[in-house]
Amino acid sequence: MKLADLRRAFRRRERPPLELPARVSYCREVLQANNAALGYLAQIQETLAGTDPLPAGQVRRLVAGVMTQTFRMIVNLSRITGGRFGEVESRFRQIKASLARSVEVPADAGDVGYTVGLDRLDASFAEVVGQKSAFLGEARRWLPAHVPHGFATSVTAYRAFMDHDGLGARVAEILERGGMGDVASCFELSADIVRLVEGARVPADVAGAIAASLDAIPGGDARRFAVRSSALLEGGAEMSFAGQYRSCLNVPPDGVVDAFKRVIASKYSPEAISYRALRGFDDEDVAMCCCVIEMVDAVAAGVLYSSCQGETEPTTLVQAVRGLGLAAVDGSAEPDSYTAGCQTKRMLGTRLGRQASRIVGAPHEGTVREAIAPGDGSSPVLDESQVLGLAGLAWALQPRLGTPLDMEWAIGRDRRFVILQLRPQPVEMVRGAKPLQRRVVGYRILLEGGSVVSPGVASGPVCHVESDLDMLRCGKGAVLVTTEASPRLAVLLPRVAAVVADLGEVTGHLAAVARELKVPALFATRAASTALAAGAMATVDAEAAVVYEGRVVELVDVPPPPSLVRTIDPNRALLASVADRIVPLTLKDRLASGYTPARCRSLHDIIRFCHQATIEAIFDLGDRALHRNEGLRRLVTDVPIDCRLFDLGGGFSDNLPAGDIRIEDVTCRPMRALWRGMTDPRVVWRASRPVSLTGLASALVNYNLDHDQRMRNLGEPSYAFVTADYLNLNSRVGYHFTTVDARLGEASESNYASLRFVGGSTGVDQRSRRAALIRRLLEAYRFETDCRVDLVNARIRHRPPAEMEEALARVGRLLGYVNHLDMALTSEAAVAEYEAAFLRGDYHFKGSSLHD
């Protein structure tokens, strides 16, 4: 079947259903994708304004991110409208083809299905199957003999699983309980969600796709597989999510579907939940894909960093353990460390580690630990030829992927080198030089030696952590001391001052997260758990590999050195060369003639068009629902808006009689907060402004000349779609249109509110002044804003419930305050007057220069 035929079949399969809630869910998909796309645009602009060296992989990630979210908007707009805007996709593909001549671009999520073979993948698929799977597919293209057979599950498979039986909605309800900042509550919340996800059913078509992909891999029932996480955003150079998710090893074919569920469930481990919250990601930002590859019965395995700072040249660091590589990253062993020169291609150093047990495959499924005989552990895990052979794989791939690499590898019983996992090396490079030789006189040294895994200095009381109960007892600002540097301890990193461990190494998962969060950490000390007494004050100088007794003021009170300013590199120049087809917004005024997909010159134009078309489609959905009597309720209110509400679940009080409702009958938390501001007694909803009849007539004539057929008639109903914690309000008051999309619950990291305000009854100058006024007032209350002509987009995120309620109330007061205000904003001075009045709470202000 040709690709075009597949696309047509896909569209037929995805034809929008008749039920209003399903169509509203597609609208929500567009709005979420719009926010994500605008986030990528902001990152591109910030990156272009920066000076730090930019990895080529970051260029691909940014371009792939904005393209994937734009395509997500197009697909869901098509679902809402029954394919009415097919020209948008055509224009998107033209821009995509233009970009592809300069930079790798992602495949469309709708084109790949639930699973994709590694042979079909390359780095451009990062937003479809996750970066780890995409990079492994790229490695298989160039080094097929060194990458196992396998496949990836896609974002589409993840969403199908989460949508099945309402699983995603039930997970969201648990997340709304909050408690992310409290370790005990986070553990409880995690346990409830993991139990729910692991007990859920995988849709038959997703399970069938996984089975078909397994059947395509030779080997029969004796085969065993590794099912690894490959989440979106996982494996980035700055945000790795290292060790936060699960890998299921030695899985038989009939256990892969269950392993698929367990990996998705690991998205809700305590450490993963707290990591996402700390890094500012919503749950829906992170789709969990999986990478399924043939299991390697490893005699040795480990991690490689392809480019580290050395004393005379860049070096490659190879760390190795006996057995499966899990022991190298889970902190249960101190791996051997080897360095090789990237230029001289020769061994530069060896340091033997300490490993008491190895991890091997169990007879049927999973893994077991077995003791290593004392004599077997005294020799190096690798010889020189093996170190250089492994380094050679990284040296071959690094120029292909355009970034230093973090590579997990194994050596099978057939002595073949195998690449198991590949991702960009963390930005916080492992320093190849030895620890600093500084010592502070006058303080007792409690511990010396170990590996500097995260530089820095910190002090605090020592807290020994070996169990989950110890984790619950670990106080804020403590020096965490442990035997094994387990990734599970990442849940404590936002709280502790420093980490010191007997085992572990620089390439371990906990080390990677500590570097990201800039928590000083010293591993492989071999004696921390016995040398550092619980409760005693200690100062960790991770840069010098020393721990002192007490607080060393000479170290902890020294300000950090200023960062070095770096020059722009070729990768930034590449991003700048494609930004003109991504960032500019030329489709600015939706009232102007020619506001069509054909006029879209950039991805930003397409994003704006899809967002506008979706808002108008929401009004159309509401109109049709009203005419068909599909459950809409009229809100009785003093606000001059004919507002009709549709309850998507939990938005109204129980057992309401038929007919109109009042705001007291609405249980939707963001709706009540917004309406509290809109009905504030200090706010006067002005029905008109002092303006000459000639001026008003002129405004009406100009408005109607520019008015195209998509715009709504004045005075028609506005619509709000509500749940207990979600609001999507689309209102038309006078000559302007407003959209408020908000979620408000107990989980701060899931809370957000976005506002879109556009239009007016006057000329473009006065409409633009009102937009500027709205932008300035919202920025005063810490909203992120984007203002173009008479259009304002604003958003606030990750605020505690009470703060989010007040933010929505302020939006409500602002909407009343600016109603018809464009008529009065005849100068910049008037804008300043009204801005000052609102900020001082004078919502009755009429302006010092208004006409009688």
Side-chain angles (χ1 to χ4, degrees):
M1 184 180 288
K2 295 181 179 179
L3 183 60
D5 296 329
L6 285 173
R7 287 190 180 123
R8 282 192 291 271
F10 173 75
R11 292 192 186 101
R12 285 196 299 271
R13 188 169 65 251
E14 298 294 342
R15 188 168 298 161
L18 296 177
E19 293 81 4
L20 180 61
R23 285 177 284 172
V24 172
S25 72
Y26 295 148
C27 294
R28 292 174 66 180
E29 280 281 318
V30 173
L31 296 174
Q32 290 175 359
N34 176 77
N35 288 341
L38 293 178
Y40 278 112
L41 291 177
Q43 288 184 56
I44 290 173
Q45 292 173 303
E46 291 170 2
T47 300
L48 290 174
T51 56
D52 289 340
L54 181 67
Q58 179 74 346
V59 176
R60 285 192 293 270
R61 188 190 74 81
L62 292 172
V63 174
V66 68
M67 291 195 68
T68 299
Q69 297 303 330
T70 304
F71 187 71
R72 180 183 170 195
M73 295 181 74
I74 293 169
V75 167
N76 284 284
L77 176 61
S78 179
R79 290 169 173 169
I80 298 164
T81 62
R84 176 182 166 194
F85 296 105
E87 192 178 358
V88 178
E89 183 175 345
S90 175
R91 187 69 191 111
F92 170 80
R93 297 197 181 281
Q94 292 173 14
I95 296 174
K96 177 179 179 178
S98 174
L99 287 169
R101 290 192 285 269
S102 303
V103 66
E104 290 182 291
V105 297
D108 299 332
D111 293 341
V112 300
Y114 294 129
T115 63
V116 194
L118 283 185
D119 292 327
R120 289 180 53 200
L121 293 177
D122 57 44
S124 68
F125 281 73
E127 296 292 323
V128 178
V129 297
Q131 188 169 60
K132 287 162 62 176
S133 290
F135 268 38
L136 197 60
E138 187 78 43
R140 186 165 171 82
R141 290 176 61 194
W142 297 105
L143 300 172
H146 297 284
V147 178
H149 292 287
F151 62 92
T153 63
S154 68
V155 172
T156 307
Y158 165 77
R159 289 187 176 140
F161 173 62
M162 296 302 291
D163 289 343
H164 193 56
D165 294 335
L167 176 61
R170 286 181 286 162
V171 168
E173 289 176 3
I174 298 175
L175 286 172
E176 285 299 322
R177 295 193 330 227
M180 307 297 187
D182 176 69
V183 176
S185 299
C186 189
F187 269 77
E188 180 182 355
L189 179 147
S190 168
D192 290 345
I193 297 179
V194 168
R195 185 166 52 249
L196 177 65
V197 175
E198 290 187 347
R201 295 184 302 162
V202 176
D205 50 352
V206 175
I210 292 173
S213 294
L214 289 169
D215 289 342
I217 300 174
D221 292 339
R223 299 166 300 166
R224 292 294 182 269
F225 296 92
V227 183
R228 297 169 175 266
S229 66
S230 181
L232 297 196
L233 304 177
E234 183 184 7
E238 296 182 357
M239 294 167 290
S240 69
F241 288 76
Q244 306 305 295
Y245 304 135
R246 186 172 185 173
S247 291
C248 298
L249 304 180
N250 197 32
V251 180
D254 61 4
V256 170
V257 170
D258 188 60
F260 166 78
K261 287 196 298 182
R262 283 182 279 153
V263 172
I264 291 177
S266 72
K267 176 184 168 184
Y268 300 100
S269 68
E271 56 270 30
I273 291 173
S274 61
Y275 182 95
R276 284 196 299 273
L278 187 68
R279 301 306 295 245
F281 294 112
D282 292 333
D283 181 58
E284 59 265 24
D285 291 335
V286 184
M288 176 61 77
C289 308
C290 296
C291 185
V292 183
I293 59 174
E294 295 172 299
M295 186 70 190
V296 177
D297 186 9
V299 297
V303 179
L304 176 154
Y305 281 3
S306 68
S307 183
C308 303
Q309 179 184 338
E311 295 182 359
T312 60
E313 64 175 312
T315 64
T316 293
L317 173 67
V318 180
Q319 297 200 315
V321 295
R322 291 171 172 81
L324 299 178
L326 183 59
V329 294
D330 71 356
S332 64
E334 178 191 334
D336 284 2
S337 295
Y338 311 88
T339 53
C342 296
Q343 297 169 355
T344 59
K345 304 294 192 285
R346 63 183 180 88
M347 285 279 291
L348 299 179
T350 298
R351 189 184 71 199
L352 298 185
R354 179 177 292 186
Q355 184 180 7
S357 64
R358 65 179 140 224
I359 302 174
V360 298
H364 176 65
E365 182 175 359
T367 61
V368 294
R369 288 185 183 270
E370 62 179 28
I372 297 175
D376 294 341
S378 59
S379 60
V381 176
L382 303 178
D383 60 33
E384 182 175 349
S385 66
Q386 290 173 320
V387 172
L388 293 178
L390 288 165
L393 298 181
W395 294 335
L397 288 173
Q398 181 168 309
R400 303 291 184 186
L401 288 163
T403 182
L405 297 171
D406 172 353
M407 184 174 88
E408 292 190 24
W409 54 269
I411 298 177
R413 295 195 179 277
D414 58 0
R415 316 308 292 178
R416 181 171 62 106
F417 300 151
V418 180
I419 300 170
L420 303 175
Q421 189 167 285
L422 204 62
R423 55 187 170 189
Q425 183 174 302
V427 170
E428 294 290 340
M429 296 296 183
V430 177
R431 189 174 55 206
K434 296 179 181 179
L436 300 179
Q437 295 303 306
R438 71 183 176 201
R439 298 291 184 271
V440 182
V441 178
Y443 294 89
R444 180 186 170 205
I445 293 177
L446 301 176
L447 183 69
E448 285 187 273
S451 293
V452 178
V453 303
S454 180
V457 178
S459 67
V462 171
C463 179
H464 287 261
V465 176
E466 302 294 345
S467 66
D468 286 355
L469 183 59
D470 293 336
M471 294 171 68
L472 297 177
R473 294 170 176 167
C474 187
K476 189 173 183 180
V479 171
L480 191 164
V481 176
T482 184
T483 302
E484 298 183 358
S486 169
R488 283 182 57 79
L489 298 176
V491 72
L492 296 177
L493 290 182
R495 300 172 53 83
V496 300
V499 183
V500 187
D502 292 354
L503 301 173
E505 257 295 353
V506 291
T507 55
H509 291 326
L510 185 65
V513 180
R515 286 192 295 272
E516 289 177 35
L517 302 184
K518 303 190 184 309
V519 177
L522 187 62
F523 292 179
T525 65
R526 303 188 178 185
S529 58
T530 55
L532 304 180
M537 181 66 68
T539 297
V540 178
D541 183 356
E543 297 177 0
V546 179
V547 181
Y548 296 92
E549 183 179 50
R551 178 182 174 84
V552 181
V553 294
E554 292 89 339
L555 292 175
V556 296
D557 294 338
V558 175
S563 59
L564 297 177
V565 177
R566 298 170 179 170
T567 57
I568 295 177
D569 65 290
N571 292 325
R572 181 167 282 101
L574 173 62
L575 183 60
S577 71
V578 299
D580 64 326
R581 284 157 283 176
I582 299 174
V583 176
L585 183 65
T586 63
L587 200 70
K588 296 180 179 179
D589 191 349
R590 89 272 175 258
L591 297 180
S593 59
Y595 190 87
T596 66
R599 294 293 184 94
C600 292
R601 299 287 181 263
S602 68
L603 293 182
H604 199 169
D605 285 342
I606 293 177
I607 293 166
R608 174 62 55 83
F609 184 91
C610 288
H611 189 259
Q612 173 69 28
T614 299
I615 298 304
E616 292 163 7
I618 290 176
F619 280 115
D620 289 338
L621 291 178
D623 290 345
R624 288 198 296 270
L626 185 63
H627 295 153
R628 296 171 184 172
N629 194 27
E630 291 187 12
L632 290 174
R633 298 287 197 101
R634 186 171 72 91
L635 182 66
V636 178
T637 176
D638 294 333
V639 176
I641 300 176
D642 180 8
C643 186
R644 310 300 176 98
L645 279 71
F646 189 95
D647 184 9
L648 297 173
F652 295 166
S653 300
D654 295 333
N655 303 317
L656 285 179
D660 297 344
I661 62 173
R662 298 183 177 276
I663 194 63
E664 293 79 10
D665 302 320
V666 178
T667 56
C668 173
R669 197 168 175 182
M671 179 75 175
R672 291 179 65 93
L674 179 71
W675 228 255
R676 175 164 59 86
M678 295 176 74
T679 55
D680 189 314
R682 296 172 295 171
V683 175
V684 176
W685 283 78
R686 300 169 174 87
S688 62
R689 288 285 178 183
V691 64
S692 69
L693 182 60
T694 303
L696 178 59
S698 176
L700 288 171
V701 170
N702 289 334
Y703 180 87
N704 287 315
L705 284 176
D706 287 340
H707 195 289
D708 69 26
Q709 294 182 351
R710 291 191 306 275
M711 300 303 294
R712 312 301 305 164
N713 293 327
L714 301 179
E716 291 186 357
S718 302
Y719 299 105
F721 303 95
V722 297
T723 69
D725 60 7
Y726 174 76
L727 163 68
N728 180 265
L729 169 69
N730 300 274
S731 69
R732 40 201 172 193
V733 181
Y735 294 89
H736 68 261
F737 301 82
T738 304
T739 298
V740 177
D741 189 70
R743 184 181 296 280
L744 199 169
E746 291 304 312
S748 300
E749 59 276 5
S750 298
N751 289 339
Y752 71 89
S754 61
L755 167 71
R756 184 179 188 275
F757 186 102
V758 64
S761 61
T762 57
V764 68
D765 288 346
Q766 288 173 257
R767 300 200 315 261
S768 298
R769 290 191 190 105
R770 177 165 61 176
L773 172 63
I774 294 171
R775 174 184 60 79
R776 284 153 59 169
L777 289 173
L778 289 175
E779 286 182 348
Y781 295 115
R782 298 192 296 166
F783 280 73
E784 307 165 39
T785 65
D786 171 49
C787 182
R788 306 292 177 105
V789 193
D790 66 341
L791 171 64
V792 182
N793 283 306
R795 182 169 63 159
I796 192 168
R797 299 176 292 172
H798 312 313
R799 298 294 193 271
E803 189 174 337
M804 186 60 70
E805 284 186 349
E806 181 55 30
L808 282 164
R810 284 183 177 132
V811 169
R813 289 191 287 269
L814 179 60
L815 293 178
Y817 185 72
V818 302
N819 185 42
H820 287 286
L821 192 60
D822 54 329
M823 293 185 181
L825 299 179
T826 56
S827 67
E828 293 301 320
V831 174
E833 283 184 338
Y834 278 96
E835 178 185 9
F838 186 89
L839 292 175
R840 66 175 178 263
D842 184 5
Y843 307 134
H844 288 80
F845 182 70
K846 297 182 178 180
S848 60
S849 58
L850 292 180
H851 300 292
D852 293 329

